[in-house]
């Protein structure tokens, strides 16, 4: 297989370098076509990553973990949106999850619940009962860079494959900005 070209990174088949992935990601990757590249962990945040490695923001998708509550019930979900977009968490996401209150999950909760590093959390390998809400722009974007579960690498996958994850739902979640 020929490695894709995106930015200044050297992409390798994820299955060949499992040490670059968090354990939950390794366990869940299966046959998903994915590439991985090592990066400087201090540059894992999207803006710094894209600037350093010449990756367009439109080819980078962020995964944010949200926490919703309704009548004493607690719900976690992952929201995938392009780095060029803002997710409508208080509108579309809250209504889709059927929760009264919603917020971004606390860092300690997100890390403890996923087994991934903050700043590297990805929808691949999340707890199976968590919904993964994928913005339609991500699903249509082609190859996108996402977290690998650790800050020291990034995954490259087709956005359409994220939409096919078992717990995924594609929605119009984001707006440019």
């Amino acid at each position: 297989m020929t490695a894709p070209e995106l930015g200044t990174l050297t992409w390798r088949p994820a299955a060949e370098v499992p040490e670059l992935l968090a354990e939950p990601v390794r366990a869940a990757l299966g046959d998903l076509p994915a590439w991985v590249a090592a990066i400087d962990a201090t540059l894992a945040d999207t803006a710094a990553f894209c600037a350093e490695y010449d990756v367009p923001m439109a080819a980078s998708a962020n995964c944010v973990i949200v926490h919703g509550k309704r009548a004493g019930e607690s719900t976690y979900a992952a929201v995938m949106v392009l780095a060029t977009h803002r997710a409508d968490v208080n509108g579309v996401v809250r209504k889709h999850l059927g929760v009264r209150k919603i917020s971004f999950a606390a860092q300690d909760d997100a890390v403890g619940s996923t087994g991934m590093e903050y700043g590297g959390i990805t929808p691949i390998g999340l707890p199976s009962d968590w919904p993964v809400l994928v913005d339609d722009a991500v699903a249509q974007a082609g190859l996108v860079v996402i977290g690998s579960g650790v800050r020291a690498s990034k995954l490259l996958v087709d956005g359409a494959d994220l939409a096919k994850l078992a717990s995924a739902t594609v929605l119009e979640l984001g707006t440019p900005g």
Side-chain angles (χ1 to χ4, degrees), residues 51-154:
E52 177 66 23
Y53 297 105
D54 294 326
V55 172
M57 293 283 278
S60 184
N62 292 323
C63 180
V64 294
I65 304 301
V66 296
H67 180 230
K69 294 181 181 178
R70 181 182 189 99
E73 294 292 316
S74 187
T75 302
Y76 285 93
V79 177
M80 291 298 303
V81 65
L82 290 176
T84 55
H85 286 60
R86 294 178 51 97
D88 183 2
V89 172
N90 287 311
V92 176
V93 174
R94 183 183 58 77
K95 289 175 187 168
H96 179 80
L97 295 175
V99 295
R100 185 163 183 225
K101 291 183 178 182
I102 195 163
S103 61
F104 294 105
Q107 181 175 341
D108 289 346
D109 289 343
V111 169
S113 298
T114 65
M116 300 180 202
E117 294 177 6
Y118 197 76
I121 295 175
T122 188
I124 301 164
L126 291 176
S128 61
D129 59 339
W130 286 20
V132 175
L133 308 180
V134 180
D135 184 52
D136 62 343
V138 172
Q140 297 174 28
L143 291 176
V144 291
V145 176
I146 63 172
S148 65
V150 297
R151 292 181 61 87
S153 65
K154 293 287 186 177

